[in-house]
Amino acid sequence: MPAASRSHSRPFHTGRRAGRLLEQESGVDVDTVEQSRRTFEAAALLAARLQDGMRERAVARGPRPQVRPG
């Protein structure tokens, strides 16, 4: 039965035991969630480095000539 359809409330859990309960009850693999978090952090770092490199190359080339409407 899905959690949303349960009529009784469940106690609030914290700490390591709660992590195990979450994993057991919802089927969420805590290791997979942690690996996903690390993957997203690495992707964000890579994107930031790429943007920095693009800015550095743009500065090294100098300003682009402006086309005046005429």
Side-chain angles (χ1 to χ4, degrees):
M1 174 179 342
S5 67
R6 293 183 181 151
S7 60
H8 66 282
S9 63
R10 290 201 252 163
F12 181 74
H13 298 287
T14 60
R16 188 177 300 174
R17 182 170 180 249
R20 285 194 305 270
L21 287 174
L22 175 66
E23 186 175 349
Q24 291 169 357
E25 292 177 4
S26 67
V28 173
D29 182 4
V30 175
D31 292 332
T32 300
V33 171
E34 181 62 22
Q35 179 61 43
S36 296
R37 183 191 62 78
R38 287 192 301 263
T39 300
F40 285 125
E41 286 178 356
L45 181 61
L46 178 60
R49 288 182 181 172
L50 287 171
Q51 287 179 339
D52 288 345
M54 291 169 57
R55 282 189 209 100
E56 289 174 7
R57 286 187 297 278
V59 169
R61 282 190 224 120
R64 291 183 165 183
Q66 298 293 319
V67 177
R68 296 181 186 227

